[in-house]
Amino acid sequence: MLSDYSPGGSYCELSQAGSAHAIRDLLSALPVAEMRRRATEAEADLHDRGVTFTVYSGKDAIDRVLPFDPIPRVLSSREWQHVESGVQQRVASLNLLLHDIYHGQSILADRVIPAELVLGNPNFREAMRGVDLPHGTYVHVCGTDIVRDSAGTFFVLEDNARTPSGVSYVVENRHMMQRAFPDLLDGVGLQPVDEYGQRLLAALREVAPGGGGADPSVVLLSPGPYNSAFFEHAFLAREMGVPLVEGRDLLVGEDDRVRMRTTGGLARVEVIYRRIDDDFLDPEAFRPDSLLGVPGLMRAYRAGKVTLANAVGTGVADDKAIYAYMPRAIRYYLGEEPILPNVETYVCREPDALRYTLDHLAELVVKPVGGSGGYGVTVGPQASQGELEACRARLLADPAGHISQPCLDLSVSPTLVGDAVEPRHVDLRPFAVTGTGTWVLPGGLTRVALRRGSLVVNSSQGGGSKDTWVLG
Amino acid sequence: MADVLLARSAEGIFWLARYIERAENLARILDVNATFARDQRGGQDWQPVLQLNADTERFAARHPAPTAEAVIHFYVADQENPTSIVSAVAAARENARALRPLISTEMWAQLNVVHNWLGQLDDAALAPGGLVRLLNRIKEACQTHTGITEGTLHRDQVSYFYRLGRHLQRADQTTRLVDIKYHALLPTPSDVGSPVDVLQWDVVLRSAAAHHAYLRVVSGGVTPAGVAGFLLLQPHFPRALAFCVAEAHRLLGVLRARHELAGGAGAAKALDALHARLSVTSIDAVIAGGLHEFVDDVQRELIAASDDLASAFFGPGPAGARQSQHQG
């Protein structure tokens, strides 16, 4: 099936990964029509099993399957070790940065990061000042978005330190490959992804208040079945074997302890893996109109009676403007060079960077600093004149709200498109779990831009996913 | 942690079981009605099905006459009708979605597939000619659910609340089924025992899948009192009221003893009393006192037991916010 495939000028994840030749041979032996047939069946299977995210339009609820491409993205164990250690370094410095921001603020006093960028950030939480967290861990689950350029160099594109999602697809994609393409796995030793739930549970227990005792009570807090990521919440609760709660199941007592309503009465909760944004966590502390949260939760949290994962206030560190300073933060806290470099970033709040960005708009990618999901991104080389002018107007109106980056020629991976195999751009989101130490799930979520030439891999923008194989 | 169950989850699994039980019962009743319920001129009468579900008025507001097509659409595929099979399965699936971490993947996947299948039934699929086959598929889908659940659901609190819901629902359905024919057992009925009457009581038996068990257990053939007695008082038939009440009482006992749940004393007492009553009474005594009054009384006690379960185990919240709606 690879006979007509050509990656063009881009770095190809499969053709150039030296140790992937066995997989290339197995793929070559599989006719495209056969691959298409099995992929179609596999997608129907996902739909049957409700591996879906829900899109609501009006009163209709539509269950969509995240488009799945059956040709795996392959990483050698050497490549993976490099990515893994880079992610661990990144997470370590994110945690140190957050602890510092909410305590002594030495990095601001030493002018490594501009103080106003942190203190004036909408995601900076005053309520977190002086709050000590078990093991200084703020980012218990981190999703680090990584890309490769045309030379195959790995870069960090973005840190996701709030409530990163997508890990359920990593596990489900693997299970689907095992069901639909057992022959592709013959003689190929892969690093497993199944232990994610138990690793996460172990890490959450490590950060229970006061050491937590032998069996601290852990729950997953979800906004409920109407949230588009509910499938993942249910998946993770199941994989950890912990209750899947909503705000209305929890209450905070006079003693600042959190309890859940059970058939046998109230039961203590010590660790909450929450998949609700800061704003909605506690109507007494943040948005008073939130019906999803738990009144008094911040009081319990600040009193040290419950651990929230991720911590409140991590959004200040994964902001795209702070991102630009992460290599400096790594040197500052760890005394090390970044293992995974940043993509060069122009912080438009700085006059020189703004001028450069405006002068090179057609070559750059411009992003809003607080955005996510690929919304509001302008890809210069692919934008129309009108889109570029609109982007220029937004930049001039709110320079501090934007950054720009050179447009990387992202690596490609062979992808089944109709009845042909064509190159499509991919990224990689490894998931790092941190309690006392940091463990990284081998591989991660490979997202693929299914539109020809597109560089935007977000599922909200027509992206799909692939199974990510880390060779043993 | 091992034996902790969220109040909301207990409520969800209880109702999941009830909704599926309801869907199966409805398919059963429609099937039997389509097959056997013909009068002497060969006409089909769908009015009793509407009466059984207390839907006569709501149906009349939507359809001019209870034709086979209209009733079938109303009860199988009408998503606007909360007492339809498609609505019951949708409600079961919504509960199952929230219960994903507690139920098996196979339970979820099967419900999901059935729900998707029912959602796309068109007029051709609902045509009278293929009706019996369609209803059998629905019935089998519900039974597949039951079998998967039996084979895969861990026997902790979740499983007990599930079975409690199922048996309370069955008890309710069976009393309704008997009640629909109560007028035939009024004192001095002129045509009791006539060929049409016996045939109709046989239809009731078949709706509860009890035809063959009845013939094995009861001597003297199909009689109105015999059928009512079997469906209400038989202690070993799985859809008989007495069996369901005894089973519900036993399940609640396990929850309170083995799982050390303190609540539910009121429900336990009510089920115990009902069970005792069903054990000692005879169908002749029931008929003498008025079958309809008896059934009414039983249903009131079942509802009181359900309400006590809800306030004991399903957490706070006004009754209006609970799932108790449209239990036709």
Side-chain angles (χ1 to χ4, degrees):
Chain A
M1 53 158 270
L2 293 174
S3 49
D4 295 331
Y5 173 77
S6 159
S10 301
Y11 184 88
C12 177
E13 297 285 342
L14 193 65
S15 314
Q16 290 175 44
S19 53
H21 61 86
I23 296 162
R24 283 198 299 273
D25 292 346
L26 287 166
L27 281 170
S28 300
L30 196 64
V32 176
E34 171 69 7
M35 190 124 212
R36 165 52 57 201
R37 187 184 64 75
R38 291 203 228 168
T40 304
E41 278 177 18
E43 220 157 87
D45 186 41
L46 281 186
H47 207 268
D48 285 352
R49 296 186 316 110
V51 183
T52 49
F53 60 98
T54 310
V55 183
Y56 289 90
S57 69
K59 62 186 268 291
D60 293 329
I62 302 150
D63 290 331
R64 291 237 172 88
V65 174
L66 181 64
F68 173 75
D69 184 75
I71 306 177
R73 188 261 185 88
V74 183
L75 293 166
S76 69
S77 63
R78 265 179 65 136
E79 286 173 320
W80 174 246
Q81 278 164 20
H82 175 69
V83 170
E84 182 186 38
S85 57
V87 166
Q88 283 167 331
Q89 180 192 52
R90 193 99 182 171
V91 171
S93 59
L94 278 171
N95 280 318
L96 291 167
L97 170 65
L98 282 160
H99 182 83
D100 189 15
I101 284 175
Y102 291 119
H103 290 81
Q105 302 188 337
S106 64
I107 198 165
L108 307 185
D110 291 338
R111 298 178 183 282
V112 177
I113 298 179
E116 63 274 21
L117 200 59
V118 170
L119 303 178
N121 192 296
N123 293 305
F124 177 78
R125 301 287 174 200
E126 196 60 44
M128 288 302 292
R129 273 207 205 208
V131 178
D132 291 324
L133 300 181
H135 307 292
T137 301
Y138 286 76
V139 187
H140 306 86
V141 178
C142 189
T144 312
D145 287 350
I146 291 172
V147 296
R148 296 177 95 169
D149 67 2
S150 53
T153 307
F154 289 99
F155 292 88
V156 173
L157 189 62
E158 198 172 304
D159 302 291
N160 294 281
R162 286 173 246 192
T163 52
S165 65
V167 73
S168 57
Y169 291 106
V170 176
V171 180
E172 289 289 348
N173 285 351
R174 175 65 51 83
H175 288 172
M176 174 139 80
M177 287 303 287
Q178 287 169 339
R179 282 195 301 273
F181 298 93
D183 40 348
L184 282 184
L185 291 151
D186 277 349
V188 180
L190 297 187
Q191 297 193 27
V193 295
D194 282 309
E195 58 181 331
Y196 183 83
Q198 288 303 305
R199 289 279 193 165
L200 176 58
L201 179 61
L204 293 172
R205 286 183 166 158
E206 286 169 4
V207 294
D215 192 12
S217 158
V218 178
V219 300
L220 191 152
L221 175 61
S222 164
Y226 298 106
N227 185 274
S228 63
F230 182 75
F231 164 76
E232 177 155 301
H233 306 163
F235 172 90
L236 290 172
R238 191 169 76 233
E239 291 293 312
M240 289 193 282
V242 306
L244 174 59
V245 306
E246 297 176 20
R248 59 191 161 129
D249 298 318
L250 301 180
L251 53 88
V252 180
E254 292 290 320
D255 57 1
D256 292 341
R257 292 186 170 199
V258 182
R259 295 183 178 82
M260 60 181 153
R261 304 176 209 274
T262 77
T263 52
L266 297 176
R268 174 93 193 265
V269 170
E270 292 164 279
V271 183
I272 301 176
Y273 177 43
R274 49 95 173 203
R275 297 293 296 258
I276 293 182
D277 291 343
D278 285 359
D279 276 345
F280 296 96
L281 267 183
D282 178 357
E284 287 178 7
F286 305 118
R287 281 179 59 154
D289 59 336
S290 170
L291 299 173
L292 304 174
V294 185
L297 187 56
M298 274 308 285
R299 176 164 51 87
Y301 185 47
R302 287 169 50 88
K305 304 288 183 164
V306 69
T307 298
L308 297 177
N310 288 353
V312 171
T314 56
V316 68
D318 72 1
D319 183 281
K320 289 187 178 68
I322 301 283
Y323 160 89
Y325 295 90
M326 278 307 293
R328 284 173 249 185
I330 290 169
R331 289 184 202 103
Y332 182 79
Y333 292 117
L334 302 175
E336 298 170 3
E337 279 304 303
I339 296 168
L340 297 171
N342 262 19
V343 176
E344 191 175 2
T345 300
Y346 305 97
V347 181
C348 297
R349 63 193 299 284
E350 295 170 2
D352 289 351
L354 177 63
R355 197 173 313 117
Y356 179 86
T357 301
L358 291 170
D359 288 348
H360 298 82
L361 214 47
E363 303 149 33
L364 297 169
V365 181
V366 179
K367 301 175 177 178
V369 293
S372 66
Y375 293 104
V377 173
T378 305
V379 181
Q382 298 180 353
S384 69
Q385 202 55 42
E387 286 166 338
L388 287 179
E389 286 316 309
C391 176
R392 181 184 304 278
R394 283 198 301 274
L395 266 171
L396 288 169
D398 179 20
H402 293 85
I403 58 153
S404 71
Q405 294 169 333
C407 188
L408 295 189
D409 178 23
L410 302 189
S411 61
V412 295
S413 180
T415 300
L416 193 59
V417 180
D419 287 321
V421 176
E422 296 181 12
R424 288 292 183 272
H425 294 293
V426 293
D427 78 348
L428 179 68
R429 176 181 286 185
F431 291 88
V433 174
T434 305
T436 50
T438 297
W439 172 80
V440 191
L441 176 69
L445 183 64
T446 292
R447 296 183 299 179
V448 52
L450 294 173
R451 278 197 296 269
R452 181 193 301 265
S454 170
L455 296 165
V456 184
V457 296
N458 304 75
S459 59
S460 51
Q461 313 281 321
S465 74
K466 286 170 171 284
D467 192 10
T468 310
W469 288 6
V470 177
L471 303 178
Chain B
M1 272 314 279
D3 203 22
V4 166
L5 178 63
L6 278 184
R8 185 170 51 79
S9 301
E11 184 175 20
I13 196 79
F14 179 82
W15 283 102
L16 188 159
R18 294 195 73 150
Y19 282 121
I20 293 296
E21 187 62 28
R22 192 192 137 66
E24 181 184 338
N25 271 294
L26 197 44
R28 216 171 250 299
I29 287 163
L30 294 172
D31 175 24
V32 170
N33 206 70
T35 311
F36 297 106
R38 289 185 190 275
D39 58 25
Q40 280 165 316
R41 293 182 300 279
Q44 261 186 344
D45 183 7
W46 288 93
Q47 202 67 46
V49 178
L50 293 170
Q51 287 167 2
L52 173 93
N53 291 295
D55 282 332
T56 313
E57 283 178 30
R58 282 196 319 108
F59 181 86
R62 300 169 67 89
H63 299 279
T67 60
E69 283 85 352
V71 172
I72 293 305
H73 183 264
F74 183 73
Y75 276 130
V76 176
D78 190 347
Q79 301 184 7
E80 309 278 304
N81 172 18
T83 62
S84 69
I85 288 174
V86 70
S87 294
V89 171
R93 184 214 186 219
E94 274 312 294
N95 278 301
R97 187 206 283 279
L99 291 162
R100 280 301 308 282
L102 297 175
I103 63 176
S104 66
T105 300
E106 289 151 62
M107 280 175 74
W108 161 250
Q110 192 258 350
L111 267 181
N112 201 40
V113 170
V114 174
H115 171 261
N116 293 344
W117 167 61
L118 286 173
Q120 43 127 54
L121 289 180
D122 54 14
D123 287 349
L126 295 167
L131 184 58
V132 170
R133 209 180 46 208
L134 173 68
L135 291 169
N136 270 300
R137 262 190 85 183
I138 293 172
K139 202 165 68 185
E140 280 177 17
C142 296
Q143 291 170 330
T144 303
H145 161 83
T146 308
I148 290 173
T149 303
E150 197 281 326
T152 62
L153 186 61
H154 184 56
R155 296 298 193 272
D156 59 6
Q157 286 189 49
V158 176
S159 158
Y160 283 90
F161 278 106
Y162 174 90
R163 284 180 286 164
L164 202 47
R166 146 154 304 148
H167 286 94
L168 287 174
Q169 182 69 27
R170 264 192 201 164
D172 175 77
Q173 301 277 156
T174 300
T175 54
R176 284 169 189 275
L177 195 58
V178 173
D179 194 32
I180 193 177
K181 288 292 293 170
Y182 84 95
H183 58 270
L185 287 168
L186 289 174
T188 67
S190 57
D191 59 348
V192 168
S194 72
V196 169
D197 191 61
V198 168
L199 185 69
Q200 288 181 348
W201 278 96
D202 197 41
V203 167
V204 172
L205 266 187
R206 287 179 193 274
S207 298
H211 180 74
H212 291 103
Y214 177 91
L215 294 180
R216 221 153 22 102
V217 173
V218 182
S219 53
V222 176
T223 65
V227 173
F230 188 87
L231 290 180
L232 293 177
L233 305 178
Q234 226 296 323
H236 305 301
F237 185 71
R239 294 181 180 277
L241 172 67
F243 177 92
C244 294
V245 169
E247 191 62 9
H249 181 246
R250 183 186 72 79
L251 293 163
L252 180 56
V254 175
L255 279 170
R256 286 164 47 79
R258 189 190 310 159
H259 295 285
E260 297 176 5
L261 301 187
K269 208 172 142 199
L271 290 171
D272 192 31
L274 184 55
H275 178 219
R277 185 173 160 197
L278 295 171
S279 320
V280 299
T281 194
S282 70
I283 191 61
D284 293 337
V286 167
I287 291 169
L291 180 64
H292 179 65
E293 288 69 21
F294 176 82
V295 162
D296 243 18
D297 203 35
V298 168
Q299 285 186 343
R300 261 197 306 277
E301 286 182 41
L302 290 173
I303 289 167
S306 276
D307 287 349
D308 185 61
L309 287 177
S311 57
F313 300 123
F314 301 162
R322 293 191 182 290
Q323 302 187 49
S324 58
Q325 69 278 34
H326 309 304
Q327 278 304 301

